[in-house]
Amino acid sequence: MNLIDDPWIPIRRASGHETLIAPWQITESADPIIALAAPRPDFNGALLQFLIGVLQIACPPESDDKWEQWLENPPSPASLKQHFEPFADSFNLMGNSPLFMQAFEPLNGDEKPIANLLIDAPGAQTLKQNADHFIKRGGIKKLCPCCAATALFTLQTNAPAGGAGHRTSLRGGGPLSTLIALDPAGSQLDNTLWRACWLNVLEKSVIGGLGDGTPKKPEATFPWLAATRTSEAKTGQDTTPLDGHPLQMYWGMPRRIHLNWQTTEDGRCDLCNRASNQLVSDYITQNYGINYNGAWVHPLSPHVANKEGGLLPQHAQPGGLSYRHWLGLVWSANRKIDNRHRWSAPFSLTGNCLRNNFACTPSATTWTT
Ligand SMILES: [Zn+2]
Ligand SMILES: [Zn+2]
């Protein structure tokens, strides 16, 4: 399966019909696509970031005007397909290395049940203490390729601390992602999946300014295209913005993982219930993958300044937004902050957008671990 060419993203159309699409299909105009429809909310949040990331690498707008044109009049699926195609080779899920978000090199690590890819899966310690009271073990044994790909991307994007040398995401463990959403009451535009994505895509020049944006090898953006920059205590290294392209922020890969496609089965997926002849039931993982460090400033996360003036990504509190966050929410909601500055507002919890004439409300997607 190829994650650019093949249908794997679960969506809902205006009619209510749910199906799988390839990323380039999001602008289909007959029975338009209005939302993601994955079986888990963390999957929907991650898939939105996946689509934003694909648009950001494949067709970033050259100017604000171009951005606005596509917000109002989306490009055709055929045009998107053309833009995405040069990147398709980096998005194979199975077959020979390199494979999407899976380590380039052979791994010599533990075999884990596929359920461990899911962020709320009980860890080894919890199982040993027989303490899996709320999220039970054993519920998920086999995943279809679509759910496995989504689980893999969700974990790499949000990775919590996972034991010695199992690295956290580029934004730390369980980062807060702040995505801009269309406010249907404040806009003449229909609220489609395309707009939910495109509102969050930044101009090309803005991305270049988030790090060293000079052209680099493809693996500077997609780290699975070359041997992992490993992070063992003595012999390993950290990975800072100087070691990659700023676009790697959309494709961070802190965990070294190989999905096991050797022993797949026929049947139904334990998450989405779709039939598949390639259900995957385990994966290999090895520690000391990429250890992100230094001044990464992820465009989809709010940051706060520390005493030294460095920016730190915000993390959600267990329980989500609470009273102590109201000032940041209310204060920023009435200010004009350009999209490109939203990460630099030092005491606003949410990035907030009044880009051009399109009022947009912040929609915070939070993961807590
Ligand atoms: Zn599934
Ligand atoms: Zn804005």
Side-chain angles (χ1 to χ4, degrees):
M1 190 166 83
N2 182 281
L3 303 181
I4 294 293
D5 296 331
D6 299 325
W8 68 281
I9 296 179
I11 54 91
R12 190 168 65 250
R13 296 181 182 276
S15 64
H17 180 65
E18 292 190 4
T19 187
L20 300 174
I21 60 157
W24 50 269
Q25 290 176 273
I26 53 173
T27 55
E28 283 177 349
S29 52
D31 199 1
I33 296 161
I34 54 165
L36 291 161
R40 292 165 53 104
D42 63 337
F43 278 19
N44 282 331
L47 286 170
L48 197 51
Q49 295 194 48
F50 175 92
L51 291 169
I52 292 165
V54 170
L55 291 165
Q56 194 68 65
I57 53 166
C59 44
E62 299 283 344
S63 69
D64 230 31
D65 283 350
K66 290 263 160 48
W67 176 82
E68 200 174 318
Q69 280 168 23
W70 273 20
L71 187 69
E72 289 180 12
N73 301 303
S76 68
S79 157
L80 282 183
K81 191 166 195 237
Q82 227 167 35
H83 279 100
F84 294 177
E85 205 45 51
F87 300 92
D89 280 354
S90 304
F91 284 77
N92 287 322
L93 185 67
M94 48 187 82
N96 294 327
S97 178
L99 297 178
F100 178 75
M101 289 214 159
Q102 295 165 76
F104 182 82
E105 65 279 4
L107 294 183
N108 174 19
D110 307 335
E111 193 169 286
K112 302 272 185 196
I114 198 72
N116 285 30
L117 276 188
L118 304 171
I119 282 182
D120 50 10
Q125 188 67 8
T126 308
L127 292 181
K128 213 166 90 190
Q129 296 169 349
N130 206 18
D132 52 331
H133 305 302
F134 298 104
I135 311 280
K136 299 286 183 201
R137 73 190 87 184
I140 308 286
K141 295 215 165 76
K142 289 164 284 171
L143 294 185
C144 69
C146 314
C147 288
T150 314
L152 181 63
F153 181 76
T154 306
L155 178 63
Q156 299 284 23
T157 302
N158 300 298
H166 292 279
R167 303 300 182 194
T168 58
S169 91
L170 185 139
R171 293 172 273 181
L176 184 69
S177 299
T178 317
L179 301 177
I180 298 165
L182 195 76
D183 177 3
S187 170
Q188 306 296 316
L189 300 171
D190 292 333
N191 196 8
T192 57
L193 179 57
W194 162 257
R195 295 201 172 106
C197 296
W198 192 246
L199 276 166
N200 294 283
V201 175
L202 296 166
E203 282 150 58
K204 208 172 178 176
S205 57
V206 177
I207 289 292
L210 293 176
D212 178 6
T214 53
K216 291 196 167 90
K217 289 182 178 166
E219 60 262 32
T221 296
F222 303 125
W224 55 91
L225 296 183
T228 306
R229 293 173 57 87
T230 54
S231 57
E232 299 85 352
K234 293 218 168 93
T235 52
Q237 53 194 341
D238 285 352
T239 296
T240 72
L242 295 175
D243 305 310
H245 190 278
L247 284 169
Q248 188 172 150
M249 290 191 279
Y250 294 85
W251 306 105
M253 190 183 74
R255 301 288 184 88
R256 288 202 283 175
I257 289 171
H258 286 166
L259 298 176
N260 180 2
W261 297 111
Q262 319 305 323
T263 56
T264 55
E265 290 173 50
D266 264 7
R268 287 191 175 272
C269 171
D270 287 332
L271 260 183
C272 72
N273 203 34
R274 287 188 176 85
S276 167
N277 57 8
Q278 285 181 302
L279 296 173
V280 55
S281 52
D282 48 80
Y283 68 97
I284 306 274
T285 187
Q286 190 173 350
N287 53 4
Y288 302 114
I290 300 176
N291 192 33
Y292 290 104
N293 204 344
W296 296 97
V297 180
H298 195 293
L300 301 179
S301 275
H303 288 65
V304 283
N306 64 10
K307 283 195 194 103
E308 291 76 44
L311 291 169
L312 300 175
Q314 289 274 58
H315 294 90
Q317 308 301 314
L321 294 174
S322 68
Y323 179 76
R324 58 191 281 265
H325 299 120
W326 76 271
L327 181 63
L329 284 164
V330 173
W331 178 81
S332 62
N334 295 315
R335 283 184 84 236
K336 280 208 165 204
I337 307 173
D338 192 273
N339 202 14
R340 77 195 70 178
H341 292 131
R342 64 205 187 103
W343 43 267
S344 65
F347 46 89
S348 154
L349 173 78
T350 61
N352 186 12
C353 182
L354 278 168
R355 190 168 179 166
N356 301 326
N357 299 318
F358 301 100
C360 33
T361 53
S363 139
T365 314
T366 65
W367 291 271
T368 54
T369 56

